[in-house]
Amino acid sequence: MLRIFQTDILDPEQFVVTLELVPGRESTGRSVDTVMGIAREAFSDGRVSAVSITDNPGGNPSLSPDAIGYRIFSIGMDVIVHFTCRDMNRVGMESRALQLAMIGMKNILAITGDYSGMGFGGQGAPVFDLDSVNLQILFTLLSKRIHAAGDPDGFFAGCAISPFKKMEGECVAQYTKMSRKVAAGARFMITQLGYDAGKFHELIGVQRHMGIEVPTLGSVYMLSPRVAAIMNQGRVPGAVVSDPLLLTVQKEWQNKQAGQKSAIERAARLGVVLRGLGYRGVHIGGIHRDFESVGLILDRMEEIKDDWKTFLPEFNHPQPKGFYAFQETPPHPVKTPVFDQGSKPLAFSEKLLYIVMQHAHNVFFNADARLAPIYRTACKTLDRSKTGRLLMYLAEHPIKRMLLGCQHCGDCAIQHVGFLCPESGCPKHTRNGACGGSLHGMCEVNTDKRCVWFRAHKRLASQKKIEEMCTGCVPPRMWELNHTSSWLNFHLERDHQNNDTEIAECCRQTTCHLLPG
Ligand code: SF4
């Protein structure tokens, strides 16, 4: 049955079902036949609004979602293309987006993406030229351009959100970035995978308090013991399976048939719980063979949809000592969120460094400061000669290298990240908030280091300034300034803060939804 994802999800009366499919590492053969078979059956079944196709999941190469997605699209099934920031720079991304627009594939899930995995001859180079907020803006602005060129339909781009974070700083980083994504034009959201009804409840509550009305799909997964173990070990960034749930799943699968039955039942029960909590649909994953289990999940959901409250205790899987913004547990409606800013003071050295940096920034890098015209004149003079630029490099780089691990990018963004460097501090170079991959406050890639956004939250919260994480947005790094002095670039109005591109203007005008509490 022909369904249009955009129409379905924008209709508040509809409970939407989408299905995530993962292409294999072949261009033809069994993995392609399987994906196509599931998509064909989903189309005949008529209850699935769209299939979403992953983009090199885990950072490892697989058949392009654009290619297999187009084939699925051609049989009448609507498709959501996952579009990550990992494998292409902004030129490649824009070109890919235009190609998708030309072939009519305009439902996009714009995401940062997992870090680079293993491809031909070894690990792939991580690109992350844009972050997921800037990727949303790319689709928003490209939509205007393709409209102007005569195409009546723009992109319908959505984003991911990961509510299953344990630490307060990670939760704040997720929710503030969600606000920026919405301000940048996200039209729908899909959650990461988890089984904690308290966190699902928290996300809907935070959205309501922030005034965000973007339809959100909750992820539901056919959990096998192998995948449950991988998720339990934190090896799927953002996905959480608790120890007790892992044990239950392992027991259930001692008999394979019983295991499958339990996985279907759990998926159906979580589906109706999500519906009861206010989610606008479910995003079903973990389907690798055929459509049969999806049909069974949906049949069962129909049977039990009115009993959702009775299943809530089965999804009581809080992370030990995990942060929750609300005291009310589901199904009780949430009242006031508590984001306990600044309860834990910063270590002395961290506090000192933060205050010194803030002070230096206010004195030397504030365009409205009294001395700013003098700095500008001095910078103009220094910029005229090679010696002047060398002097500036010697003044700037060693100290920033020592304090921030500066990589001399020339377009400094530390003021947007609590005076931490998004280039050296974040392997995905995020300038607008955390990716979904942190685990207990640690970086997804450098697992022995704190996530730079977790640290930024601590610094900002210590001064009750977390609204800085969700006001405006930060344009992409200007690569044309690489290996030049960011100090000169700021004073000579060449960096992102003075940039007059459409994207910078869009960021300046962006009004975000502030985190409540
Ligand atoms: S943002 Fe760029 S200029 Fe600023 S500290 Fe990091 S690498 Fe250096």
Side-chain angles (χ1 to χ4, degrees), residues 90-103:
R90 65 193 81 182
V91 176
M93 289 164 106
E94 186 172 333
S95 166
R96 180 183 169 198
L98 287 171
Q99 173 184 292
L100 286 167
M102 190 178 183
I103 57 177

Side-chain angles (χ1 to χ4, degrees), residues 166-170 344 350 417 420-421 424-427 434 437-459:
K166 179 175 174 177
M167 320 291 279
E168 178 178 352
E170 294 176 287
K344 292 181 195 89
E350 182 85 347
V417 196
L420 294 162
C421 172
S424 63
C426 175
S438 69
L439 183 66
H440 306 166
M442 307 305 279
C443 173
E444 171 195 329
V445 183
N446 300 318
T447 50
D448 56 340
K449 286 195 179 151
R450 285 274 182 216
C451 164
V452 74
W453 289 98
F454 180 81
R455 291 182 63 201
H457 166 263
K458 261 192 139 190
R459 288 181 171 198

Side-chain angles (χ1 to χ4, degrees), residues 346 348-362 419 459 462-463:
L346 289 176
F348 176 74
S349 54
E350 182 85 347
K351 188 173 174 181
L352 184 69
L353 189 59
Y354 180 41
I355 290 174
V356 168
M357 294 250 205
Q358 269 180 317
H359 193 65
H361 186 79
N362 289 339
F419 293 96
R459 288 181 171 198
S462 72
Q463 296 188 356

